[in-house]
């Protein structure tokens, strides 16, 4: 039997300071998340400088707790994995700097992990039986990607957003209708009380790139609608706007996924990223997969939003391949998959 591999993983790319210990890329031994939501709520969105400072304040405590809860020490783990991009540069640097120091001091290998690959890998933790090939839709605050994964660590991008990410659209629309930050969960809640057919918001498509997404037009359509209501002196129904906006997002996503399933003939489909914790989106994609006879995989909501366990799962793929980083590892804000 192969030796078990335990990775200490660190995530600090945006507004969550997180550390985890993950066994063999699939099993969580600990998963500690210090959210900064309360801090950024005061400002209506993530303030990069404050995020970096908060990471610096919290990282030591979070890592210590993750090791303690897992019953591990720096000497008993096999490697240190850390998110090095994409994300806010100052925030990334806190995690990268800390991980480098730990790896050097403990004489352990260092692994640089792509945050988006981490989101995908959250599915390996939730579903022990999930193996490539499969299709994955990553919908987060910064990214909207439809990806084909033929084997571990290999990613073929079928489509991406040409402008705003899905989560960004949720956050901006939430702000414009007075729901505040963080927008995703608030829109979801308001949408439950609203009529998804009340307002016909656009569902843009590109003939030359049928898998590409666009959400900035949808956001503008919501703003135009609100302006029109304002000019006519009419009140708008917050719940109806939320429900109609969410319905347009659901349609845009399901249409591309349907096409990708048909064209690739893939029999497994997974979702990932913060927006994938949205119940309405999850249900629509699950139903679509059932209709198409395709296996549907989704991480539980806590593994959809930013966490370090997913970084440990993605780091394990690098570990198996022997892809290690050295102490020149740096934060790469626009890192691609
Ligand atoms: O993956 P994530 O935690 O961070 C990034 O890597 O971006 O995603 C955060 C995004 C935010 O835009 C947030 O509004 C959105 O995920 N989100 C949601 C929900 N929960 C979080 N969007 C829609 N519905 C939700 N329930
Ligand atoms: Zn994320």
């Amino acid at each position: 039997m192969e030796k078990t591999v335990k990775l200490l993983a660190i995530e600090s790319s945006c507004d969550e300071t997180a550390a985890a210990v993950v066994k063999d890329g699939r099993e969580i031994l600990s998963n500690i998340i210090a959210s900064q939501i309360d801090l950024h709520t005061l400002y209506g969105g993530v303030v990069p400088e404050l995020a970096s400072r908060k990471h610096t304040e919290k990282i030591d405590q979070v890592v210590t707790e993750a090791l303690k809860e897992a019953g591990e020490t720096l000497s008993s783990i096999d490697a240190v994995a850390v998110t090095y991009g994409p994300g806010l540069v100052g925030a990334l640097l806190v995690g990268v700097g800390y991980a480098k120091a730990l790896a050097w001091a403990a004489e352990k290998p260092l692994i640089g992990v792509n945050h988006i690959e981490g989101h995908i890998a959250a599915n390996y933790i939730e579903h022990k039986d999930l193996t490539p090939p499969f299709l994955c839709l990553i919908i987060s605050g910064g990214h909207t990607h439809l990806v084909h994964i033929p084997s571990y660590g290999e990613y073929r991008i079928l489509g991406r957003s040409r402008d705003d990410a899905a989560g960004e659209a949720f956050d901006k629309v939430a702000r414009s209708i007075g729901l505040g930050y963080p927008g995703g969960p608030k829109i979801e809640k308001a949408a439950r009380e609203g009529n998804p057919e009340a307002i016909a918001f656009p569902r843009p498509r590109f003939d030359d790139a049928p898998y590409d997404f666009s959400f900035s037009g949808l956001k503008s359509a919501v703003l135009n609608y609100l302006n029109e209501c304002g000019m006519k002196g009419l009140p708008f129904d917050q719940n109806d706007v939320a429900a109609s906006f969410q319905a347009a997002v659901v349609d845009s996503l399901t249409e591309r996924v349907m096409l990708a399933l048909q064209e690739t003939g893939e029999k497994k489909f997974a979702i990932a990223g913060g927006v994938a914790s949205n119940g309405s989106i999850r249900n629509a994609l699950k139903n679509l997969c059932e209709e198409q006879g395709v296996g549907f995989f989704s991480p539980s909501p806590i593994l959809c939003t930013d966490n370090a366990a997913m970084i440990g799962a993605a780091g394990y793929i690098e570990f198996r391949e022997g892809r290690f980083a050295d102490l020149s590892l740096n934060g790469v804000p626009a890192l691609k998959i």
Side-chain angles (χ1 to χ4, degrees), residues 144 161 163-166 169 204 213-220 248-249 252-253:
T144 308
S161 177
D163 39 60
D164 291 353
F213 302 88
S214 166
F215 293 107
S216 75
L218 174 56
K219 174 197 65 191
S220 305
V249 175
S252 289
L253 298 176

Side-chain angles (χ1 to χ4, degrees), residues 83-102:
T83 305
Y84 74 108
L88 303 168
V89 70
L92 288 167
L93 283 175
V94 176
V96 168
Y98 191 91
K100 287 203 284 195
L102 274 192

Side-chain angles (χ1 to χ4, degrees), residues 222-240:
V222 173
L223 292 177
N224 288 342
Y225 174 80
L226 299 178
N227 279 340
E228 270 173 39
C229 290
M231 283 191 307
K232 290 180 194 153
L234 297 170
F236 66 86
D237 186 312
Q238 211 179 32
N239 298 338
D240 281 351

Side-chain angles (χ1 to χ4, degrees), residues 13-16 115 119 139-143 166-168 170-171 182-188 246 273-279 281 304-306 310:
S13 67
C14 189
D15 59 349
E16 251 82 44
H115 181 83
H119 274 302
I139 34 180
S140 74
H143 304 277
E168 212 174 336
F170 269 92
D171 293 333
K186 293 195 171 163
I187 294 244
E188 179 175 12
Q246 188 174 270
V275 183
S277 57
N278 181 292
I281 293 174
C304 283
T305 44
D306 288 350
M310 69 184 198

Side-chain angles (χ1 to χ4, degrees), residues 17-311:
T17 319
V21 178
V22 178
K23 190 173 139 194
D24 293 334
R26 298 266 180 180
E27 193 185 325
I28 295 180
L29 301 185
S30 63
N31 189 23
I32 310 294
I33 306 169
S35 172
Q36 305 178 357
I37 277 194
D38 294 346
L39 170 70
H40 299 294
T41 299
L42 299 172
Y43 302 92
V46 178
V47 184
E49 175 63 22
L50 294 182
S52 315
R53 284 183 195 213
K54 205 67 186 168
H55 287 311
T56 309
E57 255 173 67
K58 284 278 175 190
I59 195 156
D60 197 48
Q61 184 190 330
V62 165
V63 169
T64 305
E65 224 176 302
L67 285 170
K68 187 169 165 222
E69 197 180 299
E72 301 292 331
T73 63
L74 264 188
S75 45
S76 69
I77 52 137
D78 294 283
V80 180
V82 64
T83 305
Y84 74 108
L88 303 168
V89 70
L92 288 167
L93 283 175
V94 176
V96 168
Y98 191 91
K100 287 203 284 195
L102 274 192
W104 183 78
E107 298 182 1
K108 298 289 174 181
L110 177 68
I111 302 168
V113 175
N114 181 310
H115 181 83
I116 305 174
E117 293 184 32
H119 274 302
I120 298 170
N123 279 287
Y124 297 133
I125 299 174
E126 190 81 40
H127 306 283
K128 313 288 180 221
D129 56 333
L130 175 65
T131 54
F134 62 95
L135 279 177
C136 186
L137 175 69
I138 302 116
I139 34 180
S140 74
H143 304 277
T144 308
H145 286 330
L146 185 54
V147 184
H148 186 217
I149 299 155
S151 64
Y152 286 113
E154 212 187 321
Y155 307 96
R156 264 187 51 222
I157 313 264
L158 301 178
R160 55 158 53 88
S161 177
R162 294 197 173 184
D163 39 60
D164 291 353
E168 212 174 336
F170 269 92
D171 293 333
K172 287 178 178 169
V173 167
R175 194 176 312 160
S176 70
I177 59 175
L179 287 173
Y181 171 87
K186 293 195 171 163
I187 294 244
E188 179 175 12
K189 188 158 173 270
R192 276 189 222 121
E193 312 298 321
N195 173 8
E197 289 168 10
I199 310 144
F201 289 133
R203 281 112 167 112
R205 330 189 147 82
F206 303 101
D207 290 337
D208 57 331
Y211 295 126
D212 275 3
F213 302 88
S214 166
F215 293 107
S216 75
L218 174 56
K219 174 197 65 191
S220 305
V222 173
L223 292 177
N224 288 342
Y225 174 80
L226 299 178
N227 279 340
E228 270 173 39
C229 290
M231 283 191 307
K232 290 180 194 153
L234 297 170
F236 66 86
D237 186 312
Q238 211 179 32
N239 298 338
D240 281 351
V241 176
S244 301
F245 160 77
Q246 188 174 270
V249 175
V250 167
D251 283 353
S252 289
L253 298 176
T254 47
E255 185 185 302
R256 269 81 171 173
V257 171
M258 171 86 158
L259 187 66
L261 289 173
Q262 286 173 344
E263 289 204 346
T264 62
E266 207 50 79
K267 286 291 164 215
K268 287 181 264 183
F269 169 76
I271 51 174
V275 183
S277 57
N278 181 292
S280 172
I281 293 174
R282 290 166 85 91
N283 283 340
L285 291 165
K286 185 165 181 257
N287 291 341
L288 170 69
C289 286
E290 274 169 14
E291 277 161 33
Q292 299 294 313
V294 166
F296 176 77
F297 300 86
S298 63
S300 48
I302 190 68
L303 289 175
C304 283
T305 44
D306 288 350
N307 65 87
M310 69 184 198
I311 303 305

